[in-house]
Structure formats: C-alpha cells, structure tokens
Amino acid sequence: MTNLFKITILIVLVLFQISCKPVQDISPKQGTITVPAKGKIKMWNDLEHASFSLKLENTSTKNSCEAYKVKKGNQKWISPSLLANKSLEFSIATNGYLVLQNYSDEVITVKYTIN
C-alpha cells in the first residue's frame, strides 16, 4: 500500500511538471520587422508565450501592409490595415502569432513595441 501511494505521488508530480512548462518572455521588446516585397513574414510563431499588447508602426510613406493575428490556426485580419505612416495597437493571444503580408513591390519596414 505504501509503494502504491509513493508511485501515485510520483506520477502526480511528473504530470504537474509537464503541465507547468515555462512561458518564454518575448524579447527584444522593441525593434523592426522587414516585410519583403510581395511577401509575408510570421512573428512569434512556434513560441510558447503569454498574451501581450503590441504596437506596430509602418514607416513607409506610401505602402500599406496587411496584419493578421493567428491563434490555434485561426487567422483574423486586423482592421484597418497597417496603413502608410500609421500605427496599430492590439493584443496577441497566449501562444498566438502575427502575420504581416505585403502586396506592394517595395520592402516595408515596420517598427514594433511590446507592452
């Protein structure tokens, strides 16, 4: 009986450790993202993290960029688009990620800040 109790406690501890994986802190908290001409880029995919607030700033004077947030394979367009010389603020869900899509013929540089 004592051995069964010890084995049960051991199994519970192992399962608890597995379920409590560490959540990574996203860094750097600010920087730039270069979105290729007629291309797209994914940010923070395949990374376990807590939800966070994000500010994007489009430095292009004439080209817009589409932004999507993705959670568990469900992609949601952020409306309005990331317009030229404008910024957007929104949140990314736990373990979600960002997709930026550029339909223009020019590279777009986007500044980001994580709050």
Side-chain angles (χ1 to χ4, degrees):
M1 185 70 172
T2 306
N3 286 340
L4 181 60
F5 181 71
K6 289 178 183 178
I7 291 171
T8 303
I9 294 295
L10 182 62
I11 290 172
V12 168
L13 288 174
V14 169
L15 291 175
F16 181 74
Q17 286 181 333
I18 291 171
S19 68
C20 294
K21 292 182 199 174
V23 175
Q24 295 182 0
D25 186 30
I26 296 177
S27 62
K29 298 289 184 198
Q30 53 186 325
T32 58
I33 303 168
T34 303
V35 187
K38 301 244 183 225
K40 72 178 177 180
I41 190 162
K42 296 178 181 179
M43 296 294 297
W44 307 295
N45 59 321
D46 299 327
L47 177 67
E48 291 187 22
H49 60 80
S51 62
F52 60 92
S53 297
L54 180 65
K55 179 180 180 183
L56 299 177
E57 183 182 340
N58 186 349
T59 62
S60 174
T61 57
K62 61 182 179 179
N63 293 311
S64 297
C65 184
E66 300 292 327
Y68 303 89
K69 50 186 178 178
V70 183
K71 173 68 176 172
K72 295 183 180 175
N74 295 322
Q75 183 170 291
K76 182 178 180 189
W77 176 56
I78 299 168
S79 175
S81 301
L82 183 54
L83 303 174
N85 267 347
K86 299 289 182 184
S87 63
L88 284 175
E89 291 188 47
F90 55 94
S91 61
I92 298 290
T94 301
N95 300 331
Y97 63 94
L98 171 71
V99 176
L100 295 175
Q101 178 77 48
N102 178 5
Y103 293 103
S104 75
D105 291 325
E106 297 177 19
V107 171
I108 295 178
T109 302
V110 176
K111 293 180 183 178
Y112 73 89
T113 304
I114 296 173
N115 299 321

